[in-house]
Amino acid sequence: MNFALDETQIAVRDAIERLFGDLHRRTASAEIAWNALAGGGWLSFPLPENCGGTGVTLFDIGMLMRAAGRNALITPFFSSSVSGSLLVRQLPNSAFAASVMADTAAGSVRVAFAHQEGADYDPARLTTTACQKDGKWVVSGAKQLSLGADDADWLFVSARTPEGTGVFLLEKARDGVELSRVRTLRGEDAADIIMRSVALDPARCLGCGSDVGAALSKTVDELVLCLCWEAVGAMEDLLQQTIGYVKLREQFGKPLASFQTVQHRIAEMAVRCEEAHSMTELATLRAQETGQRRSVSAAKVQVARNAKYVAEAAVQLHGAVGFAQELAVSRYFHLLTSFQHLYGTVENHLLAYADATLPSRRHLTSAVLS
């Protein structure tokens, strides 16, 4: 596996770092940040080529998410552009969805992925249903904590159909759809959605069956990895903020950084950041291989555990000011705390890892020596 960036990837990374850094320094609102991303063509970056995008890899999208995490920017970039793009990449034959995503790239339309039901993110256990009646698809059910849904124009909705799993595209503002705005620790609003017998034209069905179920599972795995990249970026910047603070803050006439206990804590934070980065990078590079869910779940578990440690250590080392909402540390802490629950908790992914590992009996052999 090649872990080095090529010249193009380095140029993209530096460009997005500069843009996000500038937005962060200006404390730009979500709306300003969205317009800046659209104006710079970054909203089309994750899209496949049939939607007017660049057709980049998941690793390239991860670089953008890492840059967003470094600056703790709250924008619809993940909930709209990335989520919609990754889903359409798995369902390339939908011309209608492609046209909607092309409008998203221009910044004139926003989409949201309505998938999670309660604490469950597994597409195999959907309770939202869709069936055909009088030549239309009728969708009924409820979704919880759909990021960006309250401000979206279109909703990608997952549902269980008689043929298997289906994905549907529907307007937010239509009869039978009720949304309740929900505030999140992440800073980006979400929505709880209730759909009561929403009738859709056949063209709004982006596909149904076992193949679509597999595509949906892969999309969810890729979204988990994108959030891991964002968390890695937030952890890395939080580490740098903490190092800068302990060098300046004095106690007993000495900088905090001179105390061995503080040095050990900073060193542990650095190790945790590097471990999270390595796990996420490896899982992303393995994304096209068999057993993707196992690698993704392993990355989610390790990044979540390390993010919790880094976030709590940063607040503790900042002392009383670490609890101040005005300090940047607070925003990063909220971002990393919300990561623990998005698209599956640590417990959810531990179970998924066990389900993927035990039947293969991989736990009986050494991953190093074999």
Side-chain angles (χ1 to χ4, degrees):
M1 291 184 178
N2 182 16
F3 291 90
L5 301 180
D6 58 33
E7 292 183 0
T8 301
Q9 289 175 318
I10 292 173
V12 169
R13 181 199 63 189
D14 293 346
I16 195 65
E17 287 277 6
R18 286 194 297 270
L19 174 60
F20 281 171
D22 178 62
L23 293 171
H24 176 77
R25 286 188 294 272
R26 293 192 284 124
T27 60
S29 65
E31 191 68 30
I32 292 175
W34 174 262
N35 291 333
L37 289 168
W42 292 107
L43 296 182
S44 63
F45 187 77
L47 283 170
E49 294 179 357
N50 66 321
C51 298
T54 56
V56 295
T57 66
L58 180 62
F59 189 87
D60 296 319
I61 299 174
M63 287 195 303
L64 269 71
M65 291 300 298
R66 184 183 179 189
R70 279 182 179 274
N71 296 280
L73 286 179
I74 306 305
T75 71
F77 179 65
F78 171 77
S79 61
S80 182
S81 181
V82 173
S83 297
S85 297
L86 291 179
L87 189 56
V88 172
R89 284 157 72 102
Q90 300 301 325
L91 303 168
N93 296 324
S94 176
F96 183 72
S99 66
V100 171
M101 290 308 301
D103 292 337
T104 300
S108 58
V109 167
R110 296 183 189 179
V111 300
F113 184 29
H115 173 67
Q116 184 164 321
E117 299 179 353
D120 202 345
Y121 71 100
D122 192 338
R125 295 192 289 267
L126 292 171
T127 59
T128 299
T129 61
C131 60
Q132 289 182 304
K133 183 178 180 181
D134 299 329
K136 292 182 179 293
W137 282 97
V138 180
V139 181
S140 299
K143 302 289 185 179
Q144 284 78 43
L145 291 175
S146 299
L147 286 177
D150 196 68
D151 296 321
D153 303 287
W154 294 88
L155 304 174
F156 286 95
V157 178
S158 56
R160 178 167 47 85
T161 72
E163 294 80 13
T165 305
V167 178
F168 301 85
L169 187 59
L170 58 92
E171 304 101 315
K172 180 191 72 175
R174 65 172 300 149
D175 294 339
V177 180
E178 297 179 10
L179 282 82
S180 301
R181 183 183 290 267
V182 178
R183 298 300 302 272
T184 68
L185 274 176
R186 180 182 173 83
E188 181 181 3
D189 287 344
D192 291 338
I193 306 169
I194 298 176
M195 293 161 287
R196 294 188 172 90
S197 300
V198 180
L200 302 174
D201 293 333
R204 303 295 177 85
C205 176
L206 307 185
C208 62
S210 58
D211 291 345
V212 173
L216 188 59
S217 292
K218 186 173 182 180
T219 299
V220 172
D221 287 343
E222 290 179 345
L223 291 174
V224 171
L225 288 175
C226 286
L227 288 171
C228 286
W229 278 113
E230 183 183 53
V232 166
M235 292 166 64
E236 291 171 339
D237 198 81
L238 198 51
L239 171 63
Q240 295 306 314
Q241 290 182 48
T242 306
I243 291 173
Y245 180 81
V246 297
K247 285 181 177 179
L248 294 175
R249 180 77 165 87
E250 292 188 355
Q251 189 72 30
F252 306 114
K254 296 181 179 180
L256 285 176
S258 66
F259 294 99
Q260 191 175 54
T261 301
V262 174
Q263 293 172 5
H264 287 173
R265 183 63 66 88
I266 291 291
E268 181 64 19
M269 289 173 68
V271 170
R272 299 278 186 138
C273 288
E274 188 61 34
E275 186 177 53
H277 182 194
S278 299
M279 287 291 293
T280 302
E281 191 168 50
L282 179 61
T284 303
L285 292 173
R286 284 181 172 173
Q288 305 301 322
E289 298 180 5
T290 304
Q292 178 187 5
R293 173 60 58 85
R294 183 172 180 267
S295 298
V296 170
S297 291
K300 168 73 179 193
V301 170
Q302 202 60 42
V303 174
R305 287 174 171 172
N306 289 1
K308 184 175 186 293
Y309 180 91
V310 170
E312 291 177 352
V315 170
Q316 185 179 28
L317 289 175
H318 275 79
V321 296
F323 293 93
Q325 294 292 328
E326 294 78 12
L327 200 67
V329 170
S330 175
R331 184 165 41 165
Y332 286 82
F333 180 87
H334 288 164
L335 182 67
L336 293 175
T337 301
S338 68
F339 168 74
Q340 309 289 323
H341 306 281
L342 288 174
Y343 288 102
T345 62
V346 168
E347 290 75 16
N348 293 142
H349 283 278
L350 279 174
L351 290 173
Y353 184 87
D355 289 342
T357 301
L358 295 178
S360 67
R361 302 181 67 82
R362 292 177 181 174
H363 60 293
L364 299 179
T365 59
S366 170
V368 177
L369 300 179
S370 59

